[in-house]
Amino acid sequence: MRTLIALYTTCVLMWGVANAATPLCGSTVTGSIQFTSDMYCGPNQTGLTVVASHVEIDFNGFSMIGPGIMHYTTGIDAFGVDAVTIRGGGKLEGFYWPILIVHGSGHLITGMTVPADWNEPLTLRNTRSSQVTDNTIARLLIAADPGSTAEDNRIMRNRFQGSPMGGSLGIVGQGTSRTLVQANAMNMAGIGLVETGSNDVLGNRITDGWIAMYESSDNRIAGNRISNQPPFGGFEGIWIGGGLNPNCAQARPSSGNLIVGNTIAYSPIAVRFGTTTPCMMGAQNNWIQDNMFARISVAALYFEPSAQNNDARFNQYVSVATQAIDYGTGNLWP
């Protein structure tokens, strides 16, 4: 019996030591690991591929450095597994796809630094009930492929630092819904909602950026502060638009969105409604109320011809050039 216990203990210790060592580039991950040094990957080398559920990758303050984005490699790749955790205050850069997680639920990315780069965004596709929290990143994409869903994901307390081509958070696809985007700080970065619905964008601080919706409905945009200070004051604060698809049978307006309690300052236009397309599908039946528009150089509200029946009453205006420019029909203001 003591021999069996000793053998079991030895196996456990060997497993723990193996998991504590920094893996090699191109490794397949089947169990939790913790870095003990930086990891450098050469040309055409992928970082790690996760093939098991309930795996934790703890960077432990170290970095994973790729060969450069022109090599089109992936830093951490996970497909069809659940509960992948990536954490530990590390830095991940030099990969064309820094993190790519496809399918599964319960994933967590926290405490990481993914610097601005000319690469693809940190991406979660078709995931459910996953969290991206307390990171410093440039771009993030939450997406649903046709026929798939991406639901109940949480994007909270991240710091978005725009790259030379701008930072962004994208919520994209008809299968995306119930995403919570809350308390993020965004510098030279925007939030885009495309063909999505029933998401909450709450209490974010955006500097030199915007919130844009295309073919997106029933979203709540509340309590955000958007400030486009000179010389970067060329952005609309919020854009509500329809689809750009020239096929009118497929184009849809953005409708039923609630824009409430936001502060938008220094933009030439605070809220712009509508996308002028041959189909005239723009912003329809949205509610824009109890917002503060300050120091707006062109118009607080700008309704394009495709904007219809939007209710933009009961907002506050401070130092705005014009309260509204209205080329649409049935819109209510001020």
Side-chain angles (χ1 to χ4, degrees):
M1 176 62 73
R2 277 186 284 183
T3 300
L4 290 175
I5 292 174
L7 180 61
Y8 174 78
T9 302
T10 300
C11 291
V12 169
L13 290 174
M14 291 177 61
W15 174 258
V17 170
N19 279 358
T22 300
L24 299 175
C25 296
S27 295
T28 297
V29 178
T30 59
S32 296
I33 57 176
Q34 184 181 71
F35 282 38
T36 57
S37 63
D38 293 331
M39 175 179 173
Y40 295 92
C41 298
N44 303 314
Q45 283 189 314
T46 294
L48 303 173
T49 301
V50 181
V51 296
S53 296
H54 303 283
V55 162
E56 178 175 306
I57 299 173
D58 183 355
F59 274 66
N60 194 28
F62 293 101
S63 298
M64 179 192 295
I65 309 299
I69 62 173
M70 297 307 295
H71 291 271
Y72 300 100
T73 56
T74 305
I76 298 176
D77 187 7
F79 183 91
V81 295
D82 296 321
V84 174
T85 296
I86 302 169
R87 65 187 311 152
K91 178 187 287 188
L92 197 159
E93 64 180 331
F95 295 93
Y96 190 72
W97 293 275
I99 299 174
L100 177 60
I101 299 177
V102 183
H103 298 300
S105 64
H107 305 299
L108 172 63
I109 302 171
T110 185
M112 297 296 299
T113 298
V114 184
D117 226 338
W118 297 82
N119 55 357
E120 289 295 303
L122 189 162
T123 301
L124 279 72
R125 304 186 72 91
N126 313 326
T127 66
R128 303 178 309 281
S129 303
S130 298
Q131 299 183 55
V132 181
T133 64
D134 302 294
N135 303 282
T136 299
I137 54 183
R139 292 185 297 280
L140 170 64
L141 174 65
I142 306 296
D145 296 323
S148 297
T149 60
E151 299 175 337
D152 299 306
N153 297 293
R154 301 287 180 264
I155 315 302
M156 301 176 63
R157 300 183 304 278
N158 300 284
R159 183 180 181 187
F160 284 81
Q161 291 288 94
S163 68
M165 59 188 299
S168 63
L169 164 59
I171 312 295
V172 179
Q174 294 184 14
T176 56
S177 64
R178 299 193 301 275
T179 309
L180 174 62
V181 180
Q182 187 171 35
N184 298 282
M186 312 190 75
N187 181 32
M188 295 188 67
I191 300 174
L193 289 82
V194 181
E195 296 185 335
T196 182
S198 301
N199 304 289
D200 287 323
V201 180
L202 310 176
N204 301 282
R205 298 180 65 90
I206 301 173
T207 304
D208 302 327
W210 64 94
I211 298 173
M213 288 174 279
Y214 297 95
E215 293 196 18
S216 294
S217 299
D218 302 315
N219 300 288
R220 181 169 57 136
I221 314 297
N224 302 284
R225 296 178 61 87
I226 303 173
S227 178
N228 291 316
Q229 296 276 15
F232 301 103
F235 305 114
E236 288 86 358
I238 296 177
W239 178 294
I240 310 172
L244 301 176
N245 194 325
N247 184 341
C248 295
Q250 297 180 6
R252 299 181 305 159
S254 287
S255 63
N257 296 291
L258 177 63
I259 316 298
V260 61
N262 302 283
T263 299
I264 303 174
Y266 295 103
S267 294
I269 297 171
V271 183
R272 187 166 188 153
F273 303 79
T275 304
T276 303
T277 67
C279 310
M280 296 301 288
M281 290 290 184
Q284 301 177 10
N285 301 300
N286 299 285
W287 291 270
I288 300 86
Q289 298 177 352
D290 297 320
N291 302 284
M292 167 66 77
F293 305 133
R295 296 174 176 83
I296 305 300
S297 59
V298 177
L301 307 168
Y302 190 100
F303 300 90
E304 293 186 2
S306 57
Q308 302 176 17
N309 303 319
N310 298 285
D311 190 340
R313 296 175 293 173
F314 313 118
N315 297 289
Q316 300 180 58
Y317 303 84
V318 176
S319 299
V320 300
T322 304
Q323 286 190 354
I325 297 175
D326 190 355
Y327 296 109
T329 59
N331 301 299
L332 300 175
W333 53 270

